[in-house]
Amino acid sequence: MAEKLSLLAIFPDIDPAAQAVDELRGLGLEDGDINVISGIPVTEAMLGRPRQWSNVPRLALGGAVGGFLIGAFFAFGTPNLYPIYVGGQPLLPGAPSIVVLFELTMLGMLAATFLGVFLDSRFPSYSPKEYVPQISDGKIAIFFECPAEKEKKCSQRLLALGAESIQPAEAQKL
Amino acid sequence: MSATHAHETDHELEHLRREHLMLDPKPRGEMNRMIMEAMHTTSWRFRLTFAFLVLVVLVCLFGVWGYMIAEGLGVAGVTVPIYWGIFLVNTVFWIGISHAGTFVSALLRVFKAEYRRPFTRAAELMTTFGLVQAGLSIFFHMGRVWLSYWLFPYPNERQLWPNFHSPLSWDFLAINTYLMASTMYLFLPLIPDLAMARDRSTGWRKVFYRILSLGFRGTEGEWAHLRIAMNIFAFAILPVMFSVHTIVSWDFAAAMRPGWSSTIFGPYFVVGALQSGLSAVAMVLVVVRGTMKNMKYFIRPEVFDALGKLMLVISMAWAYFFFNDYMVQWYGGDKFTDALLHFHEEGPLGWMWFAMLILNVAVPWLTLWNKKVRRTPWAIFAIGLGVNVAMWFERYIIVPISLTINRMPFTWREHVPGVEIPLGIGTLAFFILLYMAASKLVPLVPVWEVQEGQLAHSVRKVGKEVVVSVADME
Amino acid sequence: MSEKKIPEFSANWSAEEQGKWGLVVDQDLCTGCQACVTACAMENNIPFVGEEDAAYGRAMHWIRIERFWEGVYPEVKATPFQPVMCQQCGAAPCEPVCPVFASVHSQAEQLNIQVYNRCVGTRYCANNCPYVARTFNWRDYERPEPLPNQLNPDVTVRRRGIMEKCTFCVQRIKRAEDRAKSEGREVYDGEVEPACVQACPAEALTFGRLDDPESAVSKKARSGRGVKLLEDLGTLPHVTYLKGGA
């Protein structure tokens, strides 16, 4: 029955932050308990973190299929529903249908990608969160949950590696 | 000996640092401060220009448009057989300008051209605002604009859907797709910068940025989703960009008019769009660099050097496609196409045709090969302005001038512009107005992307030479 | 009144596919008097645009008489007058380009139909018409009293922003067909006369059923003097021009 504490450690640069992640893992913390918050996208490889999985590509594909189906309805469905003959062209025109299908497939894919980011990142979210404004000024923050008894040890080790500060993580309005 | 070499190396390093933004990193906090200062500082010149543009937009755009809706298109210059006039010229022109943003933020990103980093957003803003003007110009030219929603495919009780045989329907789908896609592509990389602005703002600005930044913090998950989405967008928006201007070109190429029914219009228009877009980006960057605080750190002569080279290459491509179109028409000998070509060159507006060739081809080819010219902001501005004027002339030649000549000579008539002139000026004023407003509301430089690039760049010595090294950090 | 099933794709049309209603213009008889232009304007409620707009080409007549000459003054020779109206093309280029289906093909009448209340005024159809047969309502033109008394109740009055063109007086065609149907017969040859055909003093215009080989218009269309305007464009027009002497 370990009480878990949420702490936020702020590092000035990527190197000490990467070492800190290793250190925390060495002290027994799970990868899921550690979250790195940064002002630029630091790749997982640089930090020695497991790969982030994202639903965005699958949603993009789904959106492309959805867009294609809507395009098919416009190009083939509507002329069948309400046939109107124009200009000696066939009712279901070949080349124009390709244009319609292409545009709507792309729109579907891109709209789904965009909404996928929102969905995956749980945007928009205005509830209080663990954050410090220094992060957008270039600091790397490590937000981790550690059992109460290990807290002192973690803090010492991280300070030794160059952490600027370690504070209890408070969820505050952004 | 080694002291001299060290001194030389220092000298080279200093030179490289001054040349390239990517080799001149500043602390992130410092760059953030610079960008916030650029946003918050408005000079009296800015406010005066802004007020003047608001006046122009209210009178020349909304005022005159209201008048035209009430009176009908008779107050414009269109007639028989020139059913399309300057409104269509402006539509094509603004869509061309809008290709600037996608070119810089997507094409250069895909090709990993690192110098694009400081100005992707400045270019992408041009896309959204340019498309707004294009949309307005399309609405202007419609006879019953209050019924324009009939072009939108939605279930209705009229037993009628839009006609998807029509290039105008494809236009509707393509331009809307492009507008939505580039606005989304503008917004995604903007989120982290809005979060930065949120952290450094107070008052109404803080509320504004708080809402728009959606609660972004910069967690690994958020960055991962954002990066993947931006990659998908960068690759996917390129075919959309190509398709949009191709479809716009098909408005003309699908018609059976002499001079219009040309199979090369697709790529010709796309390259023309890239040409006017790139030149417009260069012009905007010269103005931004010259008028906004701290921009001289971000936008350096290397940017104009690169843009100038691109302008030269695209100008050559444009000349290639123009000559393709011209040669085939000139040689073909079709009676009416012949009459059309003669009308272009020797008609009352023949000077426009020559001006187009001089400003689009001769001037860039004679100047942009020279590095000193490319690195001089005002020179790039002047050349870019010439190119944009020439591209407007090109579209004027394609629409009102070419429509004069058709297969029924009894109907041939010259075009005289009407209220299109104040309305066109209104769209230009509106574009500049929107841009000025955005420059004060939104960080114009994507600082996180600049810092990301600076992280990836380093200098190292190979033999006796100092070389720049870029890491692939994807 | 049998409805012929025309193949959708114009490339599948056979050479004899003439369509249903047709017009023959005998240029050797036309005197250029413009009675047809006047009659059309009266029948179809065409507005008067005024001197300034007419000078800029905005006169809204659905039929125009084209006049040319050959040679240089003083040795000029007049060429036959050429009345041009909507050719009611079988493969009309104005139809596929309208984004809202305001210009469509009638399978029953085999005419090109302009739907006034659907037109949003993009004017693509007008640009694509090789005969420049379409006119546009550039403004709301005035009809000072007592001109509104002259309006034909069978024909819509159009507002600004709408395209219009010759309809082969479809209101007269419909009226004749309705009368014939109620009397249990087919429309006989010569029963339907568009306003221009009715008004022509030289009888240069003939109208009727092209799918009836015995009708006057079919016989004239088949004559050796018959040509179609801009035939090589493949628009399959329903108007035949006779010229070249007896």
Side-chain angles (χ1 to χ4, degrees):
Chain A
M1 251 313 299
E3 179 198 323
K4 282 208 164 181
L5 288 173
S6 302
L7 296 171
L8 197 68
I10 300 182
F11 287 85
D13 215 342
I14 299 180
D15 280 328
Q19 287 169 352
V21 170
D22 272 340
E23 194 68 39
L24 288 173
R25 247 208 299 269
L27 285 169
L29 267 69
E30 302 278 328
D31 271 327
D33 288 330
I34 306 176
N35 205 334
V36 182
I37 310 180
S38 56
I40 59 165
V42 190
T43 63
E44 301 93 344
M46 287 179 197
L47 293 170
R49 299 273 292 146
R51 247 199 91 169
Q52 277 283 337
W53 289 109
S54 176
N55 283 324
V56 170
R58 265 168 293 178
L59 288 170
L61 202 60
V65 170
F68 183 83
L69 291 175
I70 295 179
F73 171 68
F74 286 161
F76 304 120
T78 58
N80 273 316
L81 280 175
Y82 307 113
I84 300 180
Y85 292 91
V86 284
Q89 290 184 359
L91 192 64
L92 304 176
S97 303
I98 293 180
V99 177
V100 171
L101 288 170
F102 170 77
E103 287 302 331
L104 284 163
T105 306
M106 299 308 284
L107 180 61
M109 171 162 72
L110 293 175
T113 306
F114 186 68
L115 293 172
V117 173
F118 279 52
L119 204 70
D120 263 354
S121 306
R122 316 262 190 289
F123 286 157
S125 167
Y126 300 119
S127 54
K129 289 197 190 51
E130 293 84 3
Y131 182 72
V132 284
Q134 288 95 310
I135 292 172
S136 62
D137 269 350
K139 310 284 182 213
I140 316 272
I142 302 188
F143 168 52
F144 60 99
E145 292 183 345
C146 76
E149 66 269 12
K150 289 196 192 164
E151 186 232 332
K152 212 135 188 247
K153 210 167 171 195
C154 292
S155 304
Q156 273 173 354
R157 293 277 184 87
L158 292 182
L159 282 166
L161 281 171
E164 287 183 357
S165 75
I166 305 191
Q167 60 207 51
E170 294 164 12
Q172 34 184 308
K173 200 167 154 193
L174 283 176
Chain B
M1 277 309 268
S2 60
T4 333
H5 278 174
H7 181 72
E8 271 175 23
T9 316
D10 280 343
H11 208 66
E12 283 175 59
L13 284 172
E14 176 64 28
H15 171 77
L16 283 171
R17 197 191 59 77
R18 267 185 295 119
E19 246 312 279
H20 301 291
L21 171 64
M22 292 292 121
L23 297 176
D24 185 18
K26 275 193 162 64
R28 176 68 184 272
E30 174 65 19
M31 289 200 285
N32 287 344
R33 187 201 61 79
M34 289 162 78
I35 289 298
M36 294 303 291
E37 194 184 4
M39 265 208 292
H40 288 161
T41 323
T42 61
S43 63
W44 66 265
R45 272 188 303 269
F46 178 92
R47 288 191 285 271
L48 189 66
T49 314
F50 196 84
F52 174 69
L53 288 175
V54 168
L55 193 67
V56 172
V57 168
L58 285 175
V59 169
C60 289
L61 209 160
F62 294 108
V64 174
W65 192 15
Y67 168 65
M68 191 172 71
I69 292 181
E71 288 293 312
L73 277 161
V75 299
V78 280
T79 179
V80 175
I82 309 137
Y83 297 94
W84 282 351
I86 294 185
F87 292 140
L88 264 292
V89 173
N90 286 342
T91 304
V92 181
F93 179 76
W94 284 116
I95 297 183
I97 298 250
S98 75
H99 276 42
T102 319
F103 181 84
V104 171
S105 61
L107 198 66
L108 292 187
R109 183 191 172 88
V110 163
F111 285 142
K112 299 193 194 267
E114 295 289 319
Y115 58 80
R116 75 164 202 296
R117 286 180 185 270
F119 60 95
T120 58
R121 186 163 307 140
E124 193 67 53
L125 282 171
M126 289 173 65
T127 300
T128 308
F129 299 146
L131 285 174
V132 168
Q133 312 315 318
L136 279 176
S137 298
I138 293 185
F139 284 130
F140 292 161
H141 107 280
M142 289 179 75
R144 296 207 292 172
V145 62
W146 51 93
L147 296 171
S148 50
Y149 65 91
W150 283 348
L151 272 107
F152 190 89
Y154 69 97
N156 58 68
E157 70 293 331
R158 284 177 226 107
Q159 303 186 345
L160 272 178
W161 284 75
N163 178 7
F164 292 109
H165 296 238
S166 169
L168 293 181
S169 288
W170 313 335
D171 249 359
F172 177 83
L173 294 175
I175 294 178
N176 276 311
T177 301
Y178 188 45
L179 176 62
M180 286 195 270
S182 35
T183 308
M184 294 191 276
Y185 191 37
L186 169 69
F187 188 65
L188 281 179
L190 185 55
I191 299 175
D193 282 308
L194 289 173
M196 179 275 285
R198 165 198 70 200
D199 293 340
R200 283 174 163 260
S201 296
T202 52
W204 67 267
R205 276 184 183 269
K206 188 171 176 92
V207 176
F208 178 68
Y209 296 127
R210 233 191 104 234
I211 295 175
L212 278 183
S213 58
L214 310 170
F216 180 86
R217 290 183 288 162
T219 61
E220 296 165 291
E222 288 169 356
W223 278 120
H225 305 314
L226 206 63
R227 274 197 5 247
I228 293 175
M230 280 172 63
N231 273 328
I232 295 178
F233 262 89
F235 279 93
I237 209 171
L238 286 175
V240 175
M241 169 179 98
F242 273 81
S243 74
V244 166
H245 221 66
T246 306
I247 288 174
V248 169
S249 82
W250 288 341
D251 286 346
F252 309 112
M256 43 159 66
R257 287 270 200 163
W260 272 16
S261 181
S262 166
T263 55
I264 205 146
F265 262 26
Y268 176 40
F269 269 56
V270 172
V271 170
L274 292 178
Q275 173 143 10
S276 52
L278 263 181
S279 310
V281 168
M283 284 169 66
V284 166
L285 287 179
V286 169
V287 172
V288 162
R289 183 188 131 99
T291 57
M292 279 183 82
K293 267 193 111 141
N294 299 323
M295 283 299 158
K296 288 208 165 73
Y297 165 72
F298 290 104
I299 302 173
R300 305 185 177 198
E302 59 165 345
V303 163
F304 300 116
D305 191 7
L307 283 177
K309 283 188 221 167
L310 283 172
M311 280 163 71
L312 181 60
V313 168
I314 300 277
S315 165
M316 291 177 173
W318 183 88
Y320 166 74
F321 282 108
F322 174 84
F323 191 62
N324 250 286
D325 186 49
Y326 180 76
M327 158 65 93
V328 166
Q329 290 179 333
W330 184 91
Y331 207 97
D334 166 57
K335 168 167 76 175
F336 294 106
T337 312
D338 235 10
L340 181 68
L341 288 181
H342 270 119
F343 189 65
H344 281 173
E345 298 159 43
E346 292 155 30
L349 291 171
W351 60 265
M352 217 183 245
W353 193 82
F354 285 103
M356 168 185 77
L357 288 176
I358 291 174
L359 293 173
N360 250 347
V361 180
V363 165
W365 290 20
L366 288 174
T367 52
L368 288 175
W369 57 267
N370 182 320
K371 188 166 182 156
K372 205 149 181 290
V373 169
R374 286 198 303 265
R375 293 169 63 90
T376 315
W378 66 259
I380 286 276
F381 184 89
I383 298 172
L385 182 64
V387 168
N388 270 317
V389 166
M391 288 310 294
W392 195 90
F393 285 165
E394 186 229 28
R395 278 98 180 213
Y396 191 88
I397 291 168
I398 288 180
V399 186
I401 296 186
S402 294
L403 283 178
T404 300
I405 308 291
N406 54 46
R407 292 191 180 86
M408 305 293 284
F410 190 76
T411 60
W412 292 358
R413 181 166 287 104
E414 268 177 58
H415 168 256
V416 178
V419 299
E420 291 103 324
I421 296 186
L423 283 169
I425 294 176
T427 57
L428 181 64
F430 198 24
F431 176 80
I432 301 176
L433 186 70
L434 286 171
Y435 206 92
M436 286 174 80
S439 72
K440 296 303 169 194
L441 283 175
V442 148
L444 211 59
V445 175
V447 186
W448 70 266
E449 282 197 71
V450 170
Q451 191 188 9
E452 191 189 20
Q454 288 171 340
L455 204 67
H457 281 69
S458 56
V459 283
R460 60 193 177 107
K461 249 190 137 156
V462 175
K464 294 223 164 79
E465 171 143 24
V466 176
V467 295
V468 179
S469 199
V470 188
D472 187 353
M473 303 214 309
E474 280 296 310
Chain C
M1 225 112 51
S2 55
E3 274 195 33
K4 206 156 160 206
K5 178 77 170 76
I6 302 286
E8 295 172 15
F9 204 7
S10 58
N12 294 330
W13 291 31
S14 56
E16 304 86 45
E17 215 85 62
Q18 285 295 302
K20 194 165 162 182
W21 298 104
L23 191 67
V24 165
V25 180
D26 195 332
Q27 290 185 263
D28 290 333
L29 293 177
C30 175
T31 61
C33 69
Q34 312 231 11
C36 51
V37 177
T38 319
C40 171
M42 297 298 107
E43 169 77 12
N44 293 297
N45 303 334
I46 295 179
F48 306 102
V49 306
E51 204 176 316
E52 208 185 310
D53 264 8
Y56 194 42
R58 291 176 176 166
M60 289 182 60
H61 304 304
W62 291 1
I63 178 173
R64 63 174 181 271
I65 308 295
E66 297 196 343
R67 310 177 309 281
F68 298 98
W69 65 87
E70 288 170 349
V72 182
Y73 184 82
E75 277 85 42
V76 287
K77 193 168 88 88
T79 58
F81 297 108
Q82 185 163 275
V84 177
M85 73 299 286
C86 170
Q87 309 278 296
Q88 309 290 348
C89 304
C94 61
E95 288 168 7
V97 292
C98 173
V100 289
F101 279 132
S103 169
V104 294
H105 209 78
S106 154
Q107 293 295 88
E109 300 304 326
Q110 287 166 40
L111 296 174
N112 168 263
I113 297 182
Q114 180 67 24
V115 185
Y116 303 129
N117 50 356
R118 179 72 173 169
C119 176
V120 288
T122 59
R123 306 187 300 288
Y124 202 163
C125 57
N127 272 330
N128 216 15
C129 173
Y131 307 102
V132 198
R134 287 170 158 270
T135 63
F136 185 71
N137 284 274
W138 303 101
R139 301 179 209 265
D140 281 327
Y141 294 105
E142 270 185 11
R143 281 192 176 87
E145 292 289 335
L147 279 179
N149 291 332
Q150 169 266 326
L151 291 173
N152 184 352
D154 287 339
V155 178
T156 318
V157 173
R158 287 83 57 191
R159 295 292 311 273
R160 68 187 188 281
I162 294 178
M163 292 295 312
E164 53 185 52
K165 64 170 189 71
C166 161
T167 59
F168 274 4
C169 282
V170 67
Q171 67 277 9
R172 294 188 177 198
I173 296 177
K174 280 289 165 202
R175 182 176 277 239
E177 284 181 344
D178 282 346
R179 190 184 309 125
K181 193 169 184 179
S182 67
E183 291 172 9
R185 58 170 174 86
E186 295 243 355
V187 176
Y188 56 79
D189 191 28
E191 185 178 359
V192 182
E193 274 193 323
C196 52
V197 175
Q198 186 183 22
C200 178
E203 291 184 20
L205 298 168
T206 317
F207 184 79
R209 292 274 296 262
L210 284 174
D211 54 345
D212 172 10
E214 295 308 308
S215 68
V217 77
S218 289
K219 290 187 189 152
K220 287 190 184 175
R222 287 199 301 267
S223 94
R225 289 187 299 142
V227 292
K228 298 237 163 73
L229 284 183
L230 302 180
E231 192 164 8
D232 52 316
L233 291 178
T235 51
L236 306 174
H238 287 186
V239 179
T240 312
Y241 288 79
L242 306 178
K243 60 179 172 187

